[in-house]
Amino acid sequence: MGRDRGGGTDEDGTYCAPPGSGAPAAPDKTVAGPPYAECVLCREPTEYPESARGATLCPVCAWHEAGRTACSG
């Protein structure tokens, strides 16, 4: 009650973004540059060079991981 779950506007007339609209776009794979590290979850290229240390995530997996971490309580 009070929120329009399908997007559009709330009862007070403010804009309510549809669910799932905040995911970042995947990086363009055709861009020339240094060899990029693979995402440890989906194996897509990341924004990090191959020499980057740690668990490298692509922007999409990083966004999903942040959502899971924020909602884990």
Side-chain angles (χ1 to χ4, degrees):
M1 185 178 229
R3 290 189 70 96
D4 179 9
R5 296 272 179 183
T9 58
D10 289 338
E11 289 176 358
D12 63 355
T14 58
Y15 177 73
C16 179
S21 64
D28 185 11
K29 295 178 188 173
T30 61
V31 176
Y36 294 106
E38 288 184 343
C39 175
V40 296
L41 298 177
C42 70
R43 298 293 194 211
E44 291 294 320
T46 66
E47 299 171 334
Y48 304 102
E50 285 183 346
S51 62
R53 292 181 159 177
T56 54
L57 298 175
C58 69
V60 174
C61 289
W63 183 78
H64 287 292
E65 186 67 24
R68 283 191 293 269
T69 303
C71 294
S72 65

